[in-house]
């Protein structure tokens, strides 16, 4: 298979609401930064993949059709890949395949959402079957809280353990210039915060954000001019029928499958030892605990101990979300690509104040839907 | 079931559904300035210096090279029709505003003299601006024979930054071969139907044509119980647009006895504090049906599921 | 541009449901499941052999956010790699082809579907427009088709008579296509007497929205040779997107379609598009189809109608094309299915050995995708 590298990445300064730019202006900002980072222009780009959340987030159907002019992509291949909250990674995977297949040498992936334009929870509730269950839906939060409650019993993912995730990620976000929530909290603050969908409380929940991210992917030949490419060592995005028989959400099967495939591609047998930095898409704190186990950073039931041990802190042996993760900013359609961009910048040594020293191999996870779409990627500063 | 489904007759039973949502859309500088300009009875263009192109309406980025636009220009309110079509509701035209390098799409006046490609037109302004493209009400044929106007610099215009918007989409969802039967059974017998996979033998609720795991057609409908176990639950405190229950309440995912899939509903019958304290994963629950007079043949005919505390050890 | 030529990828099987104005007795999942199971039938492939599922549908048409998420079981995507390309189905086939060509899948299933009878086609198209300039005017696919047809007639030598003929030929061929359900097949006179919906476009010259689903199986060379005597090879692909603003596109021409065709034929190493045995193209109106035919290089500017004369070198839309049956998100993939089925001889003896396939998405066909095929 042809090697593919990330040769540039950029993101916006995310915000609760950006009133100074339109939806397309927001996306363009990230594109400009990614191209600058890659020292390329749109003339160098063969193909564009656009990712956003569902149309109801911002009232623009197939928004890439509106975006095309603003990024100077007219008459180029432009296509949008959607896949719930993990859409940024699903789009990156489409781009990787375009490069590997020789369809394009350099692909720009741009992912964005301007969530302040609409009513988030209600628009998410329209995921549900209009015949069955939509009337009881509580966005994805009611569902997520319910299975966290189940994991509290089954795996010991206690409210205190999740609160430690909030404390860690919100502390890390202080160092991230693009994050917009920069307020340290304590475990007590989280536990005492207002319940929204108990056990999910206000401080377990990321902000609602306007933001965008863009990444430039290149073939091995095209990456020769890049000084510090981050090589894609593995990438996969798996699905699970949302109401299949005996679906377990205590452990995520599609995550386990995706991680297994990616580790095989990347030659990883012990992620805790072989990976230097991890970024996960934690729409609520409880999910980060679940991902520790799904990604094999600890044994099933070991997540609470892992967070308590400090191993996933910036200075731990397996730092998770040095960027602050979703707790610093969560423009949903962009969030997965932000995670990919963050690990790429880590292994390229371009992560700035939240750089993990000597990061060589990065792991990221993303997902969406009813926790039934799950993707994983590994990048490294060597081709392998 | 089989492919004979595909030759079956149509029935007209549909579920009417609406998706209606409010928005506050951010215009960006160019559209915001353009819309503000319309309120001031002016048509604004943007200029790309790289492409030497004057674009009407104003754009933040050049439609050709994608570079940020330079200065805004105040355009004449006259131009020439380059394309036209009349639909049932509106006459749409592309209009080359005098001095512009691109066309502007807008409406032409209905009634009055007919317009065609090449017709000179001028703007007709709405009486009361509403921060919309329709503050320029339409264009109308201009037989004054006046010389084409020229663009002029624009003074400071405070852009409109946000405009309210709403989406209201209507749907007529087909019941398909399973939901009609399911709801009929709910309404008439208070029975919940599933469909059974002939391969893995699992019963799937709601009933469906294909087993998700085996990808084989399900063979038959079977009744499942209105009792089950609590697979997961959370306590909803937040309020949001479109909510159908008053918080706080218990959101629940239940596996009905005899089925292998999850059902989304609520648990009630006690105050929320009691439920939070006493509910546990795997606990038995039973459906509490609404009065027969209130049944509509939907999942909502079950008022809630009640926990069966006494069965606990 | 990509320096390597594509690895060989073949269409090994495909199927569609009947396309009809309303499948009111069936849901999306029923149409999807039916197309997918029909595509697999008789191939020797089982669902377990499929590595990846790419689907094309629209949340706005379906009335459900990330609607693919609710249809995964019917697509057979459970515990497989799956992604939605929210665009015409031929773009989904492009994704699937790159996935197989890159070596990361042996068999890809592409699914596209629409049930426009459940929703407002006008709302689908009007929500595609920018919310500030175009949407407020009441622009939808009907108005867009009218403006484009007006431009086509204004900027070329074509006349309304030519557009009537193109529509009449489309309906005549659809009348012979068992997969397109038509109560009656309108004649040229019927079309001519149908009222304008957006002049110069008459009602029967606008593509007719229909419900339906289509499924296509793509495979590596190794798998293809095992499954079929006559694999249909994908020899080239190209796509390009036009400017968003309808008022800022080249009048009467489809530059993005030209660019997509140039990319596909260059990759296929084909210099003479007149050498294709058949073409299956998507047009949202008679003028739209004419512009596509010309952009693909099958006819000179303004002379698309020549392709519909007896004895034309390339058989254009033997299926009838998109005018009689436009299952919006599935239209381009239906074209691929029709072309591949013909080349493979699944629709009877077929002389053609090469085909040009076109799909389009967006308002006024903003986005274009072109495939070249060969047996
Ligand atoms: Zn320019
Ligand atoms: Zn089964």
């Amino acid at each position: 298979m042809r090697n593919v590298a990330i040769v540039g990445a950029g993101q916006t300064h995310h915000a609760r609401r950006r009133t100074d730019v339109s939806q397309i202006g927001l996306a363009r900002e990230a594109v400009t930064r990614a191209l600058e980072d890659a020292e390329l222009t749109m003339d160098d780009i063969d193909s564009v993949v656009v990712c956003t959340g569902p149309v109801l987030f911002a009232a623009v159907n197939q928004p890439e059709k509106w975006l095309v002019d603003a990024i100077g992509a007219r008459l180029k291949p432009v296509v949008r890949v959607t896949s719930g909250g993990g859409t940024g990674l699903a789009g990156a995977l489409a781009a990787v395949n375009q490069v590997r297949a020789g369809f394009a040498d350099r692909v720009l992936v741009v992912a964005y959402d301007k969530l302040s334009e609409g009513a988030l929870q209600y628009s998410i509730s329209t995921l549900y079957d209009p015949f069955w269950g939509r009337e009881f839906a509580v966005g994805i939060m009611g569902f997520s809280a319910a299975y966290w409650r189940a994991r509290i019993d089954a795996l010991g993912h206690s409210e205190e353990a999740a609160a430690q995730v909030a404390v860690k990620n919100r502390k890390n976000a202080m160092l991230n210039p693009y994050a917009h929530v920069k307020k340290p909290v304590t475990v007590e603050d989280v536990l005492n915060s207002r319940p929204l969908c108990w056990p999910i409380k206000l401080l377990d929940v990321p902000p609602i954000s306007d933001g965008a991210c863009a990444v430039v992917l290149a073939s091995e030949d095209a990456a020769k001019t890049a000084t510090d490419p981050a090589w894609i060592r593995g990438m996969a995005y798996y699905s699970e029928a949302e109401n299949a028989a005996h679906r377990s959400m205590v452990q995520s099967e599609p995550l386990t499958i995706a991680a297994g495939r990616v580790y095989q591609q990347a030659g990883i047998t012990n992620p805790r030892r072989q990976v230097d930095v991890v970024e996960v898409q934690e729409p609520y704190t409880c999910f980060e605990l679940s991902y520790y186990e799904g990604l094999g950073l600890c044994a099933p039931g070991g997540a609470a101990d892992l967070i308590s041990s400090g191993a996933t802190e910036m200075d731990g042996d397996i730092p998770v979300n040095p960027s602050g993760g979703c707790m610093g900013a969560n423009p949903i359609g962009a969030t997965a690509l932000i995670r990919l961009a963050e690990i790429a910048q880590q292994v390229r040594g371009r992560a700035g104040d939240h750089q993990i020293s000597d990061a060589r191999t990065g792991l990221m996870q993303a997902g969406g839907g009813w926790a039934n779409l799950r993707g994983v990627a590994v990048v490294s500063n060597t081709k392998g | 079931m089989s492919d004979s489904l595909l030759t079956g007759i149509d029935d007209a039973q549909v579920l009417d559904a609406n998706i209606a949502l409010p928005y506050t859309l951010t215009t960006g500088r160019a559209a915001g300035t353009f819309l503000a300009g319309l309120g001031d009875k002016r048509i604004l263009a943007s200029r790309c210096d790289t492409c030497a192109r004057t674009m009407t309406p104003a754009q933040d980025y050049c439609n050709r090279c994608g570079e940020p636009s330079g200065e805004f220009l105040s355009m004449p309110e006259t131009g020439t029709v380059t394309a036209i079509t009349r639909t049932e509701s509106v006459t749409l035209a592309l209009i080359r505003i005098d001095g512009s390098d691109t066309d502007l799409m807008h409406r032409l006046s209905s009634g009055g003299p007919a317009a065609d490609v090449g017709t000179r037109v001028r703007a007709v302004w709405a009486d009361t601006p509403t921060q919309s493209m329709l503050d320029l009400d339409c264009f109308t044929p201009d037989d004054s024979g006046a010389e084409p106007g020229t663009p002029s610099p624009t003074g400071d215009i405070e852009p409109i930054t946000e405009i309210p918007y709403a989406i209201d989409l209507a749907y007529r969802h087909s019941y398909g071969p399973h939901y009609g039967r399911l709801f009929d059974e709910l309404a008439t017998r208070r029975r919940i139907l599933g469909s059974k996979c002939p391969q893995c033998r699992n019963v799937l609720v709601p009933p469906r044509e294909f087993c998700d795991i085996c990808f084989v057609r399900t063979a038959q409908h079977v009744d499942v119980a209105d009792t089950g176990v609590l697979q997961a639950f959370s306590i909803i405190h937040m309020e949001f647009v479109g909510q159908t229950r008053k918080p706080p309440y218990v959101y629940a995912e239940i596996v009905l006895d005899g089925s292998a899939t999850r059902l989304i509903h609520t648990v009630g019958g006690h105050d929320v504090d009691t439920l939070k304290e006493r509910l546990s994963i795997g606990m038995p629950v039973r459906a509490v049906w609404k009065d027969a007079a209130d049944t509509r043949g939907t999942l909502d005919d079950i008022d809630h599921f009640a926990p069966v505390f006494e069965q606990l050890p | 541009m990509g320096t390597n030529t594509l690895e060989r990828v073949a269409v090994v099987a495909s199927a569609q449901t009947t396309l009809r104005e309303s499948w009111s007795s069936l849901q999306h999942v029923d149409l999807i499941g039916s197309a997918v199971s029909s595509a697999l039938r008789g191939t020797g492939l089982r669902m377990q052999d499929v590595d990846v599922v790419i689907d094309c549908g629209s949340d706005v048409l379906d009335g459900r956010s990330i609607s693919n998420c609710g249809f995964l079981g019917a697509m057979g995507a459970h515990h497989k790699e799956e992604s939605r390309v929210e665009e015409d189905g031929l773009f989904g086939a492009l994704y699937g082809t790159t996935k197989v060509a890159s070596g990361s899948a042996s068999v890809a299933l592409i699914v596209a579907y629409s049930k426009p009878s459940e929703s407002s086609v006008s709302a689908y198209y009007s929500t595609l427009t920018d919310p500030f300039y175009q949407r407020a005017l009441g622009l939808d696919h009907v108005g867009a088709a009218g403006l484009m047809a007006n431009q086509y007639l204004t900027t070329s030598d074509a006349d309304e008579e030519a557009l009537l003929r193109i529509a009449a030929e489309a309906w005549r061929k659809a009348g012979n296509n068992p997969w397109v359900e038509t109560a009656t097949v309108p004649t040229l006179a019927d079309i001519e007497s149908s009222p304008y919906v957006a002049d110069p476009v008459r009602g029967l010259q606008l593509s007719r929205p229909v419900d339906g689903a289509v499924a296509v199986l793509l495979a590596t060379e190794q798998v293809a040779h095992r499954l079929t005597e006559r694999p249909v090879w994908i020899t080239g692909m190209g796509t390009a997107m036009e400017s968003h603003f309808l008022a800022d596109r080249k009048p009467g021409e489809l530059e993005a379609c030209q660019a997509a065709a140039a990319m596909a034929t260059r990759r296929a190493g084909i210099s003479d598009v007149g050498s294709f045995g058949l073409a299956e193209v998507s047009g949202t109106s008679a003028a739209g189809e004419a512009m596509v035919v010309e952009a693909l290089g099958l006819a000179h500017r303004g002379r698309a109608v020549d392709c519909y004369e007896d004895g034309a070198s390339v058989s254009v839309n033997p299926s009838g094309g998109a005018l009689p049956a436009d299952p919006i998100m599935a239209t381009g993939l239906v074209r691929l299915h029709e072309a591949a089925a013909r080349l493979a001889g699944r629709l009877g003896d077929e002389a053609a050995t090469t085909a040009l396939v076109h799909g389009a998405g967006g308002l006024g066909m903003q986005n274009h995708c072109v495939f070249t095929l060969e047996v």
Side-chain angles (χ1 to χ4, degrees):
Chain A
M1 235 183 266
R2 291 173 95 199
N3 285 312
V4 181
I6 293 173
V7 298
Q11 49 185 306
T12 55
H13 289 96
H14 312 299
R16 176 63 189 89
R17 178 151 175 83
R18 287 281 301 270
T19 55
D20 58 325
V21 286
S22 65
Q23 295 171 31
I24 58 172
L26 185 71
R28 188 183 187 283
E29 245 177 59
V31 169
T32 305
R33 290 194 179 134
L35 289 172
E36 275 170 10
D37 188 52
E39 297 179 42
L40 297 169
T41 71
M42 273 311 283
D43 291 343
D44 302 308
I45 300 297
D46 300 324
S47 177
V48 180
V49 178
V50 181
C51 312
T52 68
V55 49
L56 291 177
F57 283 2
V60 182
N61 189 8
Q62 301 173 18
E64 74 284 3
K65 304 279 178 4
W66 183 26
L67 175 65
V68 56
D69 298 305
I71 59 173
R74 182 178 166 270
L75 300 184
K76 290 185 192 290
V78 179
V79 74
R80 176 158 150 273
V81 175
T82 62
S83 205
T87 184
L89 180 61
L93 184 56
V96 165
N97 280 296
Q98 288 190 3
V99 176
R100 281 188 184 150
F103 180 77
D105 281 338
R106 289 193 194 88
V107 185
L108 172 72
V109 185
V110 53
Y112 65 102
D113 255 329
K114 202 163 184 315
L115 299 179
S116 70
E117 311 272 284
L120 187 64
Q121 286 304 326
Y122 179 58
S123 53
I124 293 179
S125 293
T126 61
L127 257 73
Y128 290 78
D129 186 343
F131 287 90
W132 198 251
R134 189 182 284 182
E135 62 264 58
F136 306 112
V138 184
I140 214 70
M141 200 193 289
F143 159 90
S144 300
Y147 284 96
W148 177 17
R149 177 64 189 77
R151 288 193 292 268
I152 289 176
D153 282 3
L155 298 166
H157 293 182
S158 63
E159 291 185 76
E160 291 75 12
Q164 290 170 40
V165 171
V167 170
K168 169 180 70 73
N169 290 357
R170 287 168 193 273
K171 183 176 79 186
N172 292 352
M174 303 285 290
L175 299 172
N176 180 351
Y178 298 107
H180 68 98
V181 175
K182 298 194 180 196
K183 189 168 180 294
V185 296
T186 65
V187 167
E188 288 68 37
D189 291 339
V190 181
L191 293 176
N192 293 329
S193 64
R194 183 161 54 88
L196 300 178
C197 297
W198 181 85
I200 291 177
K201 299 165 292 295
L202 184 65
L203 291 175
D204 290 306
V205 178
I208 294 171
S209 312
D210 290 354
C213 179
V215 161
V216 180
L217 292 159
S219 66
E220 187 161 354
D221 276 352
K224 281 193 175 124
T225 54
T227 49
D228 52 4
W231 297 96
I232 308 281
R233 300 291 300 275
M235 189 182 282
Y237 197 85
Y238 276 82
S239 83
E240 177 167 86
E242 56 90 16
N243 201 6
H246 303 298
R247 188 175 166 219
S248 166
M249 276 156 287
V250 172
Q251 293 292 351
S252 167
E253 287 188 69
L255 177 58
T256 309
I257 297 168
R261 172 104 189 253
V262 167
Y263 290 161
Q264 189 186 28
Q265 290 167 353
I268 287 175
T269 50
N270 184 339
R272 173 95 183 250
R273 295 183 69 90
Q274 290 170 274
V275 168
D276 302 310
V277 58
V278 184
E279 285 275 339
V280 299
Q281 181 180 358
E282 85 296 14
Y284 307 109
T285 49
C286 56
F287 277 114
E288 182 167 320
L289 298 172
S290 176
Y291 300 153
Y292 288 172
E293 298 174 10
L295 291 168
L297 305 182
C298 63
D305 286 344
L306 188 66
I307 182 78
S308 296
S309 74
T312 56
E313 298 278 346
M314 288 280 286
D315 58 359
D317 68 87
I318 183 81
V320 178
N321 282 342
S323 70
C326 295
M327 292 300 152
N330 192 31
I332 296 174
T335 299
L337 194 65
I338 294 170
R339 305 278 78 75
L340 181 66
E342 286 286 348
I343 56 163
Q345 299 304 62
Q346 288 282 356
V347 303
R348 298 170 79 204
R350 295 186 183 215
D353 288 348
H354 58 285
Q355 177 70 46
I356 301 298
S357 56
D358 295 328
R360 294 187 188 87
T361 298
L363 165 68
M364 62 79 66
Q365 171 280 346
W370 291 272
N372 62 332
L373 307 173
R374 289 286 179 260
V376 175
V378 169
V379 304
S380 159
N381 63 353
T382 56
K383 276 178 241 172
Chain B
M1 302 280 167
S2 72
D3 271 353
S4 64
L5 274 179
L6 296 174
T7 55
I9 53 154
D10 277 348
D11 64 52
Q13 191 184 20
V14 293
L15 174 76
D16 287 308
N18 251 68
I19 295 178
L21 281 165
Y23 295 89
T24 307
L25 300 178
T26 317
T27 52
R29 179 169 159 267
T33 307
F34 182 88
L35 294 175
L38 292 187
D40 200 23
K41 296 187 168 41
R42 282 194 288 171
I43 299 168
L44 301 185
S46 57
R47 176 87 186 155
C48 175
D49 293 324
T50 313
C51 301
R53 223 166 166 251
T54 299
M55 279 170 292
T56 320
Q59 302 284 1
D60 278 321
Y61 317 100
C62 173
N63 286 350
R64 287 294 173 270
C65 68
E67 290 304 309
S69 298
E71 64 190 48
F72 294 125
L73 293 170
S74 195
M75 304 300 284
E77 58 176 66
T78 52
T80 305
V81 173
T82 64
I84 182 169
T85 190
R86 281 158 286 258
T87 72
E88 201 173 54
S89 54
V90 67
T91 300
L92 290 172
L94 305 186
I95 295 152
R96 181 62 57 98
I97 296 291
D98 297 335
S100 177
D101 295 307
T102 68
D103 290 344
L104 168 74
M105 183 187 293
H106 217 288
R107 293 178 172 180
L108 285 188
S109 55
S110 52
D116 207 340
V117 171
T119 303
R120 295 282 299 161
V121 290
R122 66 178 160 76
V124 177
W125 299 98
D127 296 335
T128 316
T130 58
Q131 305 193 332
S132 147
M133 190 65 171
L134 294 176
D135 289 349
L136 197 177
D137 186 59
C138 63
F139 283 82
T140 196
D142 177 34
D143 52 10
S144 69
E147 287 294 301
T150 51
S152 59
T154 303
D156 280 346
I157 292 180
E158 187 64 28
I160 294 162
T161 54
E162 302 176 324
I163 61 164
Y165 182 70
I167 263 185
D168 190 350
L169 300 166
Y171 296 93
R172 302 167 300 278
H173 293 296
S174 298
Y175 276 77
H178 300 286
Y179 275 119
R181 174 91 192 279
L182 171 67
F183 293 142
D184 287 349
E185 293 287 319
L186 272 171
T188 58
R189 290 203 304 143
R190 292 195 163 174
R191 286 292 200 170
I192 302 165
L193 281 190
S195 56
K196 187 166 188 173
C197 172
Q199 196 160 312
C200 66
R201 319 294 293 171
N202 284 309
V203 174
L204 313 169
V205 177
R208 64 203 72 171
E209 192 64 21
F210 286 87
C211 172
D212 308 270
I213 295 173
C214 310
F215 196 72
V216 296
R217 285 186 194 269
T218 55
Q220 64 189 115
H221 284 154
V222 293
D223 283 347
V224 300
D226 66 353
T227 58
V229 298
L230 189 61
Q231 173 159 285
F233 74 95
S234 58
I235 297 172
I236 309 305
H237 294 272
M238 68 171 184
E239 298 184 8
F240 56 93
V241 178
Q243 200 165 23
T244 58
R245 291 283 200 276
K246 182 139 186 62
Y249 60 93
V250 174
Y251 169 95
E253 301 224 346
I254 292 156
V255 179
L256 295 175
D257 295 331
S259 82
T261 51
R262 54 200 189 88
L263 175 85
I264 299 168
H265 217 288
T266 57
V267 170
H270 300 269
D271 67 77
V272 162
D273 288 339
T274 304
L275 291 170
K276 179 181 175 184
E277 199 63 35
R278 297 191 59 192
L279 287 180
S280 64
I281 307 303
M283 178 178 275
V285 293
R286 63 178 174 79
V288 177
W289 296 83
K290 286 181 177 164
D291 287 344
D294 296 331
T295 52
R296 297 181 297 131
T298 73
L299 200 47
D300 206 28
D301 290 351
I302 297 172
D303 187 74
H304 63 271
F305 281 80
V308 187
F309 291 137
E310 60 273 19
Q311 287 188 4
L312 288 177
Chain C
M1 246 332 114
T3 44
N4 293 19
T5 52
L6 293 169
E7 300 289 331
R8 288 191 109 193
V9 180
V11 178
V12 292
S14 56
Q16 64 178 355
T17 64
T18 298
L19 305 175
R20 62 191 295 196
E21 275 181 23
S22 172
W23 272 117
S24 67
S25 62
L26 298 180
Q27 295 197 309
H28 295 84
V29 284
D30 304 313
L31 291 171
I32 290 167
S34 178
V36 170
S37 51
S38 298
L40 283 168
R41 192 174 301 135
T43 58
L45 287 174
R46 298 160 306 162
M47 189 49 90
Q48 300 94 289
D49 301 315
V50 173
D51 300 309
V52 60
V53 179
I54 307 295
D55 59 275
C56 299
S58 160
D59 288 358
V60 173
L61 286 171
D62 297 348
R64 186 169 179 180
S65 288
I66 355 177
S67 57
N68 54 316
C69 223
F71 304 157
L72 292 168
M75 300 190 294
H78 181 68
H79 288 176
K80 292 187 184 2
E81 287 208 273
E82 180 269 351
S83 279
R84 166 181 278 185
V85 173
E86 195 160 324
E87 184 55 283
D88 173 75
L90 197 57
F91 290 83
L94 191 147
Y95 186 168
T97 305
T98 62
K99 186 89 182 168
V100 175
S102 73
S104 50
S106 296
V107 179
L109 168 65
I110 320 300
V111 182
Y113 65 88
S114 287
K115 278 201 82 192
S117 69
E118 293 198 2
S119 62
S120 160
V121 173
S122 175
Y124 165 78
Y125 281 107
S126 67
T127 53
L128 286 169
T129 60
D130 81 288
F132 307 119
Y133 290 156
Q134 298 180 113
R135 204 181 299 183
L137 300 174
L139 176 67
D140 65 5
H141 60 304
V142 182
L147 286 169
M148 290 172 74
N150 177 267
Q151 289 177 313
Y152 177 67
L153 294 179
T154 306
T155 59
S156 76
D157 293 334
D159 55 17
E160 285 200 47
E161 179 67 30
L163 299 181
L164 288 170
R165 245 189 82 56
I166 288 170
E169 275 300 293
W171 279 98
R172 186 184 65 77
K173 290 173 190 160
N176 297 325
N177 181 343
W179 297 95
V180 175
E181 189 180 282
T182 49
T184 55
V185 175
T187 63
L188 192 140
D190 295 332
I191 296 164
E192 190 167 17
S193 60
S194 69
Y196 285 120
V197 289
D199 66 326
V201 177
R202 296 177 183 278
L204 288 170
Q205 289 174 315
L206 200 64
S207 69
R208 177 180 66 140
V210 291
D211 291 356
V214 55
V216 172
L217 286 159
L218 305 175
T220 56
E221 181 161 14
Q222 197 187 3
V223 173
H225 281 308
R226 209 176 67 222
L227 296 182
T228 169
E229 302 263 290
R230 252 172 109 80
V232 176
W233 304 108
I234 294 165
T235 54
M237 305 187 295
T239 86
M241 188 181 277
E242 185 46 271
S243 182
H244 178 62
F245 292 91
L246 210 68
D248 200 12
R249 301 184 196 168
K250 193 168 183 179
E253 291 184 52
L254 300 172
E255 288 183 281
C257 186
Q258 288 167 13
M263 189 184 294
T265 52
R266 188 180 68 240
R267 286 166 191 281
I270 292 165
S271 52
D272 174 19
V273 293
S275 68
F276 283 103
L278 66 94
E280 280 284 339
V281 307
S282 309
T284 50
S285 71
E289 185 170 313
M291 284 189 271
V292 168
V293 164
E294 291 166 20
L296 293 174
L298 296 170
H300 291 299
R301 184 98 159 77
R303 294 307 314 169
V305 68
D306 296 348
C307 291
Y308 301 82
E309 301 296 340
D310 290 340
S313 68
V314 182
S315 167
V316 174
N317 280 347
S319 69
L323 298 183
D326 184 2
I328 303 174
M329 304 302 287
T331 306
L333 198 64
V334 170
R335 305 275 74 74
L336 179 64
H337 156 70
E338 288 280 0
R342 269 167 219 282
L343 294 186
R346 288 199 289 275
L347 300 181
D349 284 343
E350 178 65 46
T353 57
T354 56
L356 191 59
V357 179
H358 164 265
L363 185 77
M365 300 188 288
Q366 189 187 341
N367 206 5
H368 295 265
C369 186
V370 174
F371 271 52
T372 59
L373 306 178
E374 181 181 57
V375 285

